[in-house]
Amino acid sequence: MKWLDLITGGYASFIVYAVAAAVIAAVLGYTYHAGASNKDAEWTLKYNQREVAIAEAYSAEVSRQAQANALAKALEAKRLAELEAENVALELKIKELSDEADADPDRDRVCLSDGSRLRIDSIH
């Protein structure tokens, strides 16, 4: 160490401490970087898992909505068929009552006949 003092002009201990501090800083830096890389990989994995879960949830919701829409359309078609059948039956009933009213011998009377009253009551 004396020879280093002679070469450096008395700064040998300072240089030794500086080199030791640099080595310690390098070890700490490497340790920090290794830990940060590990954390980065861990957070990347968590992010990717979250993205996969979001994509699955989105897909499930789209599928659920498609099923709900298909069911609603099927119920709508069934109800429209029922309404159409009711409409046809009502039109037949109206035609039948109209034919009966046309065939009624008392259709030209001022007041309602018994047949007219029964036809009107059958509509209710």
Side-chain angles (χ1 to χ4, degrees):
M1 192 103 140
K2 287 187 181 196
W3 61 272
L4 192 58
D5 258 345
L6 287 174
I7 296 174
T8 60
Y11 291 108
S13 61
F14 176 73
I15 292 172
V16 169
Y17 288 131
V19 169
V23 168
I24 290 173
V27 168
L28 290 176
Y30 174 77
T31 304
Y32 177 79
H33 176 70
S37 295
N38 188 25
K39 274 295 183 193
D40 183 44
E42 182 180 323
W43 281 105
T44 301
L45 177 65
K46 285 182 181 180
Y47 176 78
N48 289 339
Q49 288 174 344
R50 186 177 136 258
E51 289 298 313
V52 167
I54 289 171
E56 288 174 354
Y58 176 78
S59 177
E61 179 63 16
V62 167
S63 175
R64 184 197 66 79
Q65 288 179 2
Q67 290 174 352
N69 288 339
L71 178 62
K73 286 181 181 182
L75 291 174
E76 175 189 21
K78 180 182 174 188
R79 182 63 183 142
L80 285 174
E82 290 173 358
L83 288 173
E84 185 65 29
E86 289 174 7
N87 191 27
V88 168
L90 184 60
E91 286 177 1
L92 287 174
K93 181 72 171 173
I94 290 170
K95 181 169 180 6
E96 177 185 320
L97 292 175
S98 177
D99 290 344
E100 285 180 18
D102 288 342
D104 188 4
D106 294 329
R107 69 175 181 258
D108 294 329
R109 285 183 45 187
V110 176
C111 60
L112 294 176
S113 65
D114 286 337
S116 298
R117 183 184 51 80
L118 292 174
R119 281 192 300 276
I120 291 174
D121 286 343
S122 71
I123 294 173
H124 294 112

